Amino acid sequence: MTDVSGTGPAPGDDRKVLTNRQGHPVYDNQNQRTVGARGPATLENYQLLEKISHFDRERIPERVVHARGVTAYGHFEAYGTWGDEPISRYTRAKLFQERGKRTDVAVRFSTVIGGRDSSEAARDPRGFAVKFYTEDGNWDLVGNNLGVFFIRDAIKFPDVIHALKPDPVTFEQQPGRIFDFMSQTPEAMHMLVNLFSPRGIPADYRHMQGFGVNTYKWVNPDGDTKLVKYHWMPKQGVRSMTEEDAANVQADTLGHATKDLYEAVARGDHPEWELLVQMMDDHDHPELDFDPLDDTKTWPEQDFPPKPVGRMVLDRMPRDFFAENEQISFGTGVLVDGLDFSDDKMLIGRTFSYSDTQRYRVGANYLQLPVNQAKNADVRTNQRDGQMTYHVDGGGENPHVNYEPSITGGLREARYPTHDEQGPEITGRLTRKRIPRTNDYLQAGQRYLLLEDWERDDLVKNFIGQLSQCDRAIQERMVWHFLLVENDLGLRVGEGLGIGPEDVSGLEPLASQDLTDDDRERLAKLG
Ligand code: HEM
């Protein structure tokens, strides 16, 4: 027998044998095939070429945002009611109907701006995306931990993200670029007051809230619709970090929040969140000082009390990070019967963007991957082929019929479960306009006043720290905004930067904004 220098099995070794993807056993995984021990290699080195070329393709594009994250699994358990009322009065979505009904979930927590290996202690919104594998197909609720967002129109998303991401020349994240954009974006003030407070650095993923942020609809069995907002409240409580805390954590590890989640689940300390829903009638609510479809606003809890509808427990972690965390794909278009979109101008852009990027990032057949499949519903489509088709989606009786309509054994359309929806009728001219009632400062100011003293101090310090690295014109415009948000905030940040109200009183409002009477009064006082 020829002498081979592989590390062949020791007698009695009953471990399973390594093969290649063709099912051929690998006899030597240490040495490539060469002419003589030192000699040139030959091109028919199938095992070497397959191994290296697969390795060359191990990475897929990381998510353009939310690249760093971690997936966990568990279940959602419904309460069957919205407050004291049966939930069927408001939604016919099956997962919410019966008390105690369980639905499998996959959740992905994430940071937004950094790359796949970046720090989880960064000041950055956190993503909170939940995939419910319901019997009616999947529902994704793709939210964040802060409750509002920087912008209210999807057309601005690439700009806000470019400003927050590293400089395209030096690849350095720069306050000068971030606040250049923000200073021209008055609707961002509410988000900034949240993001630069301690809430902007959650202690880990288990101790943070989640919010759907955008406004959705519920549809009841009669087809009547309501506007809703979703909130996740952690049973573990909410914990945040200051910049100093974060620097210490980061000095030790960049992935503390992922580690924390793996360790908590492994020791049986299963994190839990309650899902609460705010609701309002489905129209534009002229009585409110904000637009219910504006994602830079929260709905006041005293007027629209959040009511619990269920709870979620996470008790299992992925077996493979790539297959279950990198390839999992969420989207705001992924809804089930009884849940619907609103006309929120961010939602339309989001709904296009998610599946568009996933077709590019993961591939045209990303929905056939186990983590993305509607595993608790039947999937039968006439979609066929494309790169990496894994199987034929269940078809009709006749495999020749991959089209609809057909009378020769193909699939048929479903019937609406009850009624079609009965939402409001909408008419109007095509236009490009801001929504009325932008009211960019009021809620930002209310949020500032709700903070505890130490949180306000921290917020002011963080703003001064960032803005002191910006040009004077940007500093002045930000102080101007802060004076309109809340006098105290503007005065304190201004003091830290050597800018008084008199220095900014001559600034004109931006062309991109509408002022309320209250804003005008504040502005008049500056002079
Ligand atoms: C991820 C687009 C606004 C929450 C993403 C991704 C894109 C995107 C392209 C990467 C998805 C992937 O590669 O699988 C947009 C656009 C927005 C928008 C165009 C505005 C028009 C928001 C808002 C929130 C949010 C307002 C929070 C409420 C998330 C989350 C993820 C994500 C949680 C990560 C999902 C995951 O873990 O895979 N977004 N986004 N996005 N976005 Fe947005």
Side-chain angles (χ1 to χ4, degrees):
M1 200 177 147
T2 331
D3 175 33
V4 287
S5 49
T7 54
D13 184 348
D14 57 359
R15 286 176 300 162
K16 292 198 173 122
V17 160
L18 177 70
T19 73
N20 63 20
R21 281 258 168 101
Q22 304 285 11
H24 310 152
V26 174
Y27 297 104
D28 185 343
N29 199 32
Q30 325 302 321
N31 300 290
Q32 59 178 273
R33 201 174 188 198
T34 49
V35 183
R38 300 181 53 247
T42 55
L43 193 58
E44 96 297 333
N45 240 305
Y46 186 77
Q47 161 63 2
L48 169 73
L49 299 182
E50 286 298 302
K51 190 174 174 183
I52 299 272
S53 55
H54 188 276
F55 172 78
D56 291 345
R57 290 161 178 79
E58 271 185 9
R59 291 291 166 270
I60 58 172
E62 64 178 30
R63 289 170 176 80
V64 60
V65 282
H66 298 262
R68 170 135 216 173
V70 60
T71 300
Y73 300 101
H75 64 267
F76 174 76
E77 190 179 305
Y79 295 161
T81 53
W82 185 71
D84 300 333
E85 303 171 274
I87 209 151
S88 55
R89 196 166 291 169
Y90 301 110
T91 176
R92 62 192 189 209
K94 292 197 189 110
L95 81 156
F96 286 126
Q97 301 302 313
E98 296 150 34
R99 184 169 192 82
K101 183 183 172 96
R102 286 189 173 195
T103 301
D104 299 329
V105 297
V107 177
R108 186 170 179 274
F109 302 113
S110 51
T111 55
V112 179
I113 297 300
R116 190 154 46 189
D117 302 318
S118 58
S119 168
E120 291 183 313
R123 180 175 304 289
D124 199 12
R126 299 295 187 269
F128 193 125
V130 184
K131 188 180 288 296
F132 299 79
Y133 299 96
T134 91
E135 71 215 76
D136 273 344
N138 290 350
W139 170 36
D140 292 351
L141 180 54
V142 196
N144 75 18
N145 68 318
L146 293 176
V148 288
F149 201 66
F150 299 100
I151 51 167
R152 59 167 73 90
D153 191 318
I155 202 166
K156 300 179 74 157
F157 189 73
D159 296 294
V160 67
I161 297 301
H162 284 179
L164 287 160
K165 287 256 187 194
D167 179 290
V169 179
T170 62
F171 209 66
E172 190 191 347
Q173 200 186 31
Q174 285 173 355
R177 288 164 34 80
I178 297 172
F179 284 96
D180 182 18
F181 178 86
M182 300 300 172
S183 67
Q184 303 303 304
T185 310
E187 67 268 34
M189 296 307 139
H190 193 183
M191 181 72 165
L192 292 179
V193 168
N194 281 298
L195 183 61
F196 283 84
S197 80
R199 289 286 169 100
I201 318 181
D204 52 52
Y205 293 134
R206 287 183 303 130
H207 295 92
M208 65 180 203
Q209 296 162 300
F211 299 93
V213 177
N214 290 109
T215 298
Y216 293 86
K217 289 190 190 191
W218 272 5
V219 188
N220 79 3
D222 296 328
D224 295 326
T225 54
K226 295 276 186 197
L227 299 178
V228 294
K229 269 197 195 272
Y230 299 101
H231 309 263
W232 293 105
M233 292 300 145
K235 286 272 168 73
Q236 302 72 238
V238 176
R239 285 193 212 149
S240 307
M241 290 195 277
T242 61
E243 300 253 324
E244 293 72 29
D245 300 333
N248 287 334
V249 167
Q250 207 169 276
D252 191 37
T253 167
L254 294 182
H256 77 283
T258 295
K259 187 166 183 276
D260 171 80
L261 192 58
Y262 269 93
E263 288 176 356
V265 170
R267 66 174 179 266
D269 185 2
H270 299 153
E272 188 175 328
W273 283 260
E274 187 158 64
L275 180 64
L276 298 103
V277 172
Q278 285 182 291
M279 191 185 290
M280 60 168 91
D281 287 343
D282 186 7
H283 59 82
D284 57 358
H285 292 266
E287 78 286 1
L288 298 175
D289 60 15
F290 62 93
D291 190 313
L293 306 187
D294 179 354
D295 71 352
T296 69
K297 301 293 185 293
T298 54
W299 296 357
E301 296 196 355
Q302 64 279 15
D303 302 326
F304 306 99
K307 300 199 179 172
V309 298
R311 68 187 193 105
M312 173 174 78
V313 180
L314 299 181
D315 56 10
R316 187 164 62 85
M317 299 305 287
R319 290 193 57 191
D320 185 76
F321 198 80
F322 182 82
E324 298 161 72
N325 181 66
E326 289 310 292
Q327 294 192 318
I328 195 170
S329 302
F330 298 88
T332 48
V334 186
L335 296 169
V336 292
D337 183 63
L339 313 177
D340 209 346
F341 311 95
S342 74
D343 299 321
D344 179 332
K345 288 194 220 176
M346 286 285 281
L347 257 187
I348 179 79
R350 294 186 70 192
T351 297
F352 165 71
S353 184
Y354 291 94
S355 40
D356 180 49
T357 200
Q358 285 145 8
R359 280 187 279 268
Y360 159 71
R361 181 173 73 78
V362 187
N365 285 303
Y366 71 101
L367 288 175
Q368 289 195 337
L369 296 176
V371 75
N372 294 325
Q373 275 174 25
K375 61 177 185 164
N376 291 328
D378 290 333
V379 175
R380 298 183 216 93
T381 81
N382 287 326
Q383 288 179 345
R384 294 290 184 272
D385 309 344
Q387 273 193 349
M388 309 299 285
T389 300
Y390 187 58
H391 55 77
V392 180
D393 292 347
E397 284 159 24
N398 182 348
H400 296 280
V401 183
N402 57 357
Y403 50 85
E404 188 285 330
S406 156
I407 53 167
T408 55
L411 298 165
R412 66 162 173 82
E413 293 164 309
R415 274 178 211 97
Y416 266 106
T418 52
H419 297 265
D420 198 353
E421 62 196 274
Q422 308 291 327
E425 264 187 44
I426 300 167
T427 53
R429 280 179 195 276
L430 283 175
T431 183
R432 286 172 190 271
K433 283 212 171 79
R434 280 193 292 283
I435 55 166
R437 290 178 287 166
T438 48
N439 208 351
D440 292 323
Y441 302 114
L442 184 74
Q443 289 199 359
Q446 290 167 342
R447 179 81 200 126
Y448 177 73
L449 294 175
L450 274 175
L451 296 175
E452 293 175 21
D453 284 348
W454 75 272
E455 291 177 313
R456 266 201 293 271
D457 296 346
D458 190 61
L459 173 70
V460 167
K461 183 169 131 232
N462 294 328
F463 275 146
I464 295 171
Q466 292 285 301
L467 286 168
S468 53
Q469 302 172 60
C470 299
D471 292 346
R472 173 87 180 180
I474 294 171
Q475 295 175 345
E476 288 182 356
R477 181 55 81 177
M478 287 307 299
V479 169
W480 184 88
H481 286 303
F482 291 154
L483 285 164
L484 290 177
V485 166
E486 189 50 54
N487 216 29
D488 185 57
L489 175 64
L491 290 175
R492 291 179 66 186
V493 175
E495 193 187 342
L497 298 169
I499 297 173
E502 63 290 352
D503 298 316
V504 298
S505 59
L507 290 180
E508 291 293 329
L510 301 168
S512 59
Q513 75 179 133
D514 303 305
L515 294 179
T516 63
D517 292 345
D518 184 51
D519 298 336
R520 278 179 218 292
E521 243 174 70
R522 283 173 192 259
L523 206 52
K525 281 190 195 146
L526 293 189

